[in-house]
Structures are given as structure tokens and as C-alpha cells.
Amino acid sequence: MLAKRIQPMVFQARRLYVELMFQVMGRALQAVSEIDADVQKEARALPTGFLFEMMVMPNGSRLIVEHLGDGCFHYHGDSAPRPVNLSIQFKHIVHAFLVLSFQEKTSVAFANDRMLVDGDISYAIRMTRILNRLETFILPKLVAKRAVKEYPSNLHLPEKLLSAARIYLKVATNFVETVRT
Amino acid sequence: MTNQYYEFFCPVKVIAGKAALEHIPYELTGLGAKRPMIVTDKGVRAAGLLDPVIAACEESGLEIISIYDDVPPDSSTGVVKDIAGIYRREKCDSLIAVGGGSAIDTAKAVNILVSEGGDNIAEYSGAGIIKHPLKPFLVVPTTAGTGSEVTSVAVITDTAKSVKLPFTSSFLLPNAAVIDPRMTLTLPPHITAATAMDAMTHATEAFTCMAKNPLSDAYATAAIKKISGSLLKVMDNPKDSDGRLELAQASTMAGIAFSNSMVGLVHALGHATGAICHLPHGLCMSLYLPYVLEYNLESIRQPLGELLLYLEGPEVYSATPSSRRAEASISALRKLRDELHKRCKLPRTLKETGSVEEHQLDTIAELAMDDGSMMFNPKEVTLDDARAVLKKAWA
């Protein structure tokens, strides 16, 4: 009985969490593309103006980033200025929650058919590598190990801390700017 | 609670064994089809492989309305459009693909156009675009390797844009796959070897990559057992129709396995090598398999060790300490590869192919990094890792 009563609250909390995580990830993608050479190198292979979307089916939360060129991303929030080039779609909000709460690795979610790719698969692979790189920076090592297939052995603590600090600072600044406008 | 989750789907009716071709008229009639069109290639026709298919239909009063026998090895959007035009003009109502991967993929794409309408197959590229069942469609494989008869994917080259268009939908799956030993009896030794190793790779990667699941495991292990038991026998006696049937069934089983659990680094490297150096797919699979298994070893030690039972049989399996079974599985595959080299000069290294230059390895590695199969490899592959595997496979 109690479980039934709190169920709507659980649904709401889950939706809010996924929405918040998308907002953080979108801003963090923009931030990491401004500071990390490896991410820039990966992103340079994407066409300029390339729009990437990550969303929850059918009409749930979404994040949209654009490749502005030279490896730099711009976070557009949840609305795209034109049709997106690549969309990674979670089949259900529960699947998005499993991945975004680091209970299921992104690669495992793909293997488990939790997500669909609409667009060029090679770009999806590239974007997944970028997301993995981002997660290894911004998450504590123990959590990051749950999020990515393999934690990079060449990422040492000073580089990780410095990069994480710069990314979080940029994310916070972006949040403040969004609120002001 | 377990975190395991998987999906498994294979609605294809498998019709296999002696006189399987003679079931085609019954199957088509059961699907309400009376005017079938055959899609095939010149090699299949020249080898006389169409004759038993046509005879089986005619003897049962089913007339083959049209035969298109000019499917190229890399089928294109133009070819698909031409075949769809003939299908419509001749008022056909069903398709029979007779051939290898290219003929089957072409027929899948033709089925989209003739069922959904239009002339531009590129409009249907991608996943989940097709929403309705297509026309009755039967597949008769003439190689024992690709497994295309049970996969929901087709790849067609857009010649105008020089890109390969993928089509993915469960509606692409044929209504039935007809596996008749007569169709593979005349395969030349090197193609028999390469296609069988393609199926072996499908099964091995299906069993060791990230999306493995209990149902695909069952198909994968059965396929490996059949290939291990029959391949060398067929190489020594190409007219061994029982062995041929075993290989053909193994190919279909491996196809069912990998289409439900995906493949990994062997395929990523193989696709890239095929695209750059135009090496046959089966040859690339045979060549890369042991090197990739060595690279993945610590991530797949347990499942790879289990495969020893199906590769070498219960006696070798039980005599091998469990800690050494994974290495023994790789050795068994190397041994098989060496035996094939002895019998038909199937290359064991990139250098032996004579079609790859050492300076191309970096380009192959870079292209492989963007391959969709990379996602399902059990170990995270960096560009340096891919280069290292290629270097080992070089010579």
C-alpha cells in the first residue's frame, strides 16, 4: 500500500534525476571539449554543425550538443536548432536511470539493447568514447569504474583532479549564465 | 537480483537437409506466393546451382517468373533499383535469394523497395525505418559462412556517395532459410575454408563478447563443435555431403548466435581491412581470430576456456587444467588455421595475403576504431592496442 502511494514520487524523482544528469552531462561535454586534447581529437572527426542528441523515448528528457568545429562542442539544452544528425535513445527512463546512476555501464547498456542508435554508427562509437573520457574525469575512480568498460591506466590523479575541477567550474559557470539569461 | 538482461530473436524457419530445396514450392504456396523471382549472381548460375532450385519448383508446378543473375560482389543502390523494376514489371509476388552474402543482402534490399514502394533504397537506410512485414522471401545460401540468412541486416553501397548504407529491421529476415547440402558441394577449397572460419569467428565472438547470453551461447557452442568436427574432413573429401551439411548448419547457427549477441574486435579489424585492402571477409576473420583472442585473453579467460570442449572434444578438455584451457583454445584455433594453410594456402598472416602493405596498418587501425563491433568487444580497445594487434597479425 505504502509502496503504491510513494510510486508517483519515485517516478518523479527518477525523471528529475535523469533530467538533471542530462543538463550536467551536456554542459560537461561542452567543458571537456574546451580543455582536453584527446576529446578534441576525437570530436574533430565529426562534421562542423553536427548535432548530437541523447534522449529518453518517447518524448522524455534530452540533451543536445553541437560540434562547432575544431573539436569544440556547444550545449543547446533540450531543443535542437535543426534535425539532429545522431540520436542515442534510451528505450525507457528506467534504462536511462540505470546508466546515469552508474549501475550499468554505457557499453553494457548498448549490449543489453537498452539504447537505440539513430544515425551513423561510427559517430555513435566516437561519441561514446568521448562520453567515457568525460566520465573518467568527472567521476571518482570507484564510480567511474562502474561507468566505463575499462578505466584508463594512464590517467593519473593530478591530471584527473585538475581536469575535473576545470570541467566542474565551467559547468557551474554555464548553469549560472543560463539562470541569468 | 541478477543484473543480467538479454534479448533473443530468430523467427526464421530453418529447412535443412536432404531434398530441402524440394520444400520451396510448399513454403511459398503456404505464404500465398505464386510468382517468385530468383536473385543470384553469375558464379552461382555458372556452377549450375540454380538448376536444382528451378527443377524443384517446376516439378511442383511452381513457375519461376524471373531470374536476375547479375548481382555483383559489392551490391549497389543501382542494382537494387534495377531488380525492383524487373520484379514490378514481371508482376512477381515473392523473392528467392540464391547465393552468398551479396545476393542475400541485395534481395533483402529489393524486398524493401517492392514492399514499401519507391525507387530509392537509400530512403530506407538505418534502423527501425521499416514498420510492416515485407513480401514472402526465401533464402538458399550457397556458402557456409556469412549467416546472412538469419540476420536482420543488409549492407548496400551507395555508389553516387561512395558510402555503405546499412539497413536494419527484423522485417528483413526471410520467412525461411533453405539449407541443402547440394548447394555447397562444389565450393572450392579456399572458399570452403575461409567461409567456415567466418562462421567459426561468428560463433567464437558471439560466445566471448559483451552481449553473450544463454540462448546465443547454445547456438555458438553447437556451431563450433560442428565446424571443428567437419571442416578438415570436408577439406580432405569435398564431396562429403554430410560434412557439407554440418558446415552449412553451423554457419546458420553461428549466424543466429552472433545476430543476437554481436561480435567484437575481430570483425572491427576485418571490416576495416576489407574496406581498405579488399580482402575477402572470411579470410580476414580466419587471420585475425587468434591474435584478437590473445589480446582479449584476460577479459574472456573463462568463456574461452569453455570453448575447448567444443574445439577439441571432452578428452582434451578434461586432460587440460582449467587454468590452461583458454590458451589451449587459442592453440586449437591456430592448429586448425595451420591445417587449412597446408591444404589450401589460406593465409595465416597479413603478409601472406600479398594484398596488404605494412604502411596500411595504421589506416586499418584508425578505421577499425569507428566500427560498430568495437562497442561489444569485452576489452576497451585503444588505437595503440589495435595497432599492436595488427602488428602481430602482420607476420
Side-chain angles (χ1 to χ4, degrees):
Chain A
M1 192 68 184
L2 182 66
K4 271 202 163 180
R5 274 195 187 163
I6 63 166
Q7 204 176 42
M9 284 187 280
V10 173
F11 288 174
Q12 177 73 358
R14 199 152 52 199
R15 201 165 57 245
L16 286 172
Y17 177 82
V18 168
E19 205 169 306
L20 177 68
M21 284 304 289
F22 272 165
Q23 289 190 24
V24 172
M25 276 174 63
R27 288 176 168 89
L29 272 171
Q30 180 177 319
V32 77
S33 75
E34 290 165 6
I35 64 159
D36 184 61
D38 284 1
V39 167
Q40 287 164 357
K41 194 176 160 197
E42 290 279 10
R44 272 190 201 107
L46 303 169
T48 300
F50 177 88
L51 282 171
F52 167 71
E53 171 191 69
M54 203 166 196
M55 67 160 308
V56 179
M57 291 172 85
N59 290 308
S61 310
R62 69 187 64 207
L63 75 85
I64 287 149
V65 293
E66 178 178 359
H67 177 227
L68 298 177
D70 205 26
C72 283
F73 288 129
H74 173 70
Y75 173 57
H76 278 286
D78 60 2
S79 60
R82 54 187 178 280
V84 297
N85 302 92
L86 172 68
S87 179
I88 293 181
Q89 303 164 351
F90 289 100
K91 288 181 179 173
H92 194 280
I93 192 156
V94 167
H95 304 150
F97 183 76
L98 282 173
V99 172
L100 298 173
S101 58
F102 316 111
Q103 296 175 63
E104 193 164 277
K105 297 175 196 289
T106 312
S107 52
V108 172
F110 268 115
N112 286 352
D113 278 316
R114 311 285 202 196
M115 301 192 278
L116 297 176
V117 174
D118 188 3
D120 190 321
I121 193 79
S122 64
Y123 291 147
I125 300 291
R126 200 165 275 273
M127 285 307 301
T128 307
R129 280 203 294 269
I130 291 171
L131 284 166
N132 283 347
R133 178 91 179 151
L134 170 66
E135 285 171 340
T136 55
F137 280 141
I138 64 173
L139 299 173
K141 189 174 178 178
L142 270 177
V143 182
K145 277 182 165 177
R146 296 171 62 95
V148 300
K149 205 190 281 183
E150 210 167 284
Y151 191 85
S153 56
N154 59 354
L155 180 61
H156 303 296
L157 194 60
E159 184 193 354
K160 180 184 168 76
L161 287 179
L162 192 65
S163 301
R166 291 173 71 191
I167 292 167
Y168 277 120
L169 187 64
K170 280 177 181 285
V171 169
T173 311
N174 193 299
F175 261 116
V176 172
E177 280 169 3
T178 310
V179 171
R180 276 189 187 161
T181 54
Chain B
M1 193 176 78
T2 175
N3 282 331
Q4 195 191 22
Y5 169 88
Y6 68 89
E7 295 179 8
F8 186 93
F9 182 70
C10 182
V12 180
K13 181 172 182 178
V14 176
I15 297 164
K18 188 178 165 72
L21 293 175
E22 280 67 21
H23 284 255
I24 291 176
Y26 172 80
E27 291 301 325
L28 281 178
T29 312
L31 293 163
K34 293 181 182 129
R35 297 177 63 82
M37 175 187 201
I38 289 180
V39 177
T40 187
D41 60 56
K42 288 253 187 287
V44 167
R45 193 157 206 183
L49 296 177
L50 279 195
D51 301 341
V53 179
I54 295 168
C57 291
E58 281 178 352
E59 207 177 345
S60 219
L62 182 73
E63 189 191 353
I64 302 290
I65 300 300
S66 181
I67 298 173
Y68 185 93
D69 67 358
D70 206 10
V71 175
D74 257 333
S75 195
S76 67
T77 47
V79 172
V80 171
K81 185 182 167 186
D82 291 348
I83 303 174
I86 298 168
Y87 179 101
R88 287 171 182 141
R89 202 163 52 241
E90 300 287 342
K91 297 190 169 45
C92 298
D93 61 6
S94 52
L95 286 158
I96 306 173
V98 184
S102 182
I104 298 171
D105 277 12
T106 304
K108 285 177 181 173
V110 170
N111 205 11
I112 297 173
L113 278 190
V114 299
S115 305
E116 296 279 298
D119 280 328
N120 185 9
I121 188 66
E123 286 173 8
Y124 298 98
S125 175
I129 310 285
I130 302 151
K131 307 283 187 200
H132 313 101
L134 307 181
K135 301 280 185 196
F137 176 36
L138 266 54
V139 170
V140 184
T142 58
T143 61
T146 67
S148 301
E149 65 276 15
V150 283
T151 64
S152 52
V153 181
V155 179
I156 301 291
T157 305
D158 185 337
T159 33
K161 293 180 183 163
S162 293
V163 290
K164 291 204 170 195
L165 301 173
F167 302 85
T168 310
S169 166
S170 55
F171 294 121
L172 293 184
L173 287 161
N175 299 92
V178 184
I179 298 157
D180 190 303
R182 283 173 284 178
M183 304 310 279
T184 51
L185 218 48
T186 54
L187 266 186
H190 65 283
I191 298 183
T192 302
T195 51
M197 288 308 285
D198 186 14
M200 177 70 98
T201 307
H202 288 155
T204 306
E205 288 214 292
F207 195 78
T208 53
C209 285
M210 289 186 68
K212 79 196 284 326
N213 64 70
L215 295 184
S216 70
D217 284 356
Y219 281 98
T221 49
I224 291 170
K225 191 176 170 187
K226 282 184 186 299
I227 298 166
S228 303
S230 299
L231 178 54
L232 294 180
K233 283 185 197 159
V234 168
M235 292 301 290
D236 292 336
N237 176 19
K239 296 291 173 201
D240 174 2
S241 60
D242 288 343
R244 289 283 188 188
L245 181 61
E246 286 291 277
L247 292 182
Q249 290 176 110
S251 164
T252 301
M253 293 166 100
I256 294 171
F258 93 84
S259 63
N260 282 284
S261 62
M262 308 309 287
V263 284
L265 180 57
V266 184
H267 275 76
L269 292 173
H271 293 153
T273 311
I276 293 166
C277 308
H278 308 290
L279 275 186
H281 179 71
L283 165 55
C284 295
M285 299 296 99
S286 170
L287 202 152
Y288 287 130
L289 182 59
Y291 300 104
V292 170
L293 292 178
E294 275 172 1
Y295 167 76
N296 281 334
L297 183 58
E298 291 315 319
S299 306
I300 59 170
R301 182 169 280 284
Q302 197 263 336
L304 185 58
E306 279 178 45
L307 287 187
L308 185 63
L309 177 62
Y310 308 98
L311 285 163
E312 294 278 48
E315 282 173 18
V316 173
Y317 181 81
S318 56
T320 310
S322 58
S323 62
R324 299 293 304 160
R325 283 177 186 154
E327 285 86 350
S329 293
I330 298 175
S331 299
L333 287 165
R334 280 184 183 279
K335 199 170 73 186
L336 181 60
R337 190 194 60 163
D338 293 343
E339 290 296 326
L340 293 173
H341 180 73
K342 257 191 229 164
R343 284 166 171 82
C344 67
K345 296 276 169 267
L346 189 73
R348 297 161 298 181
T349 61
L350 288 169
K351 201 174 178 182
E352 278 180 1
T353 66
S355 305
V356 184
E357 303 283 338
E358 198 169 3
H359 67 82
Q360 290 177 304
L361 300 189
D362 275 357
T363 323
I364 295 172
E366 279 163 23
L367 190 59
M369 289 304 290
D370 285 342
D371 192 275
S373 309
M374 215 49 124
M375 181 70 78
F376 304 101
N377 194 66
K379 192 171 166 185
E380 186 75 67
V381 185
T382 65
L383 185 58
D384 286 342
D385 293 339
R387 283 187 186 129
V389 173
L390 286 168
K391 209 165 181 181
K392 280 190 177 172
W394 169 248

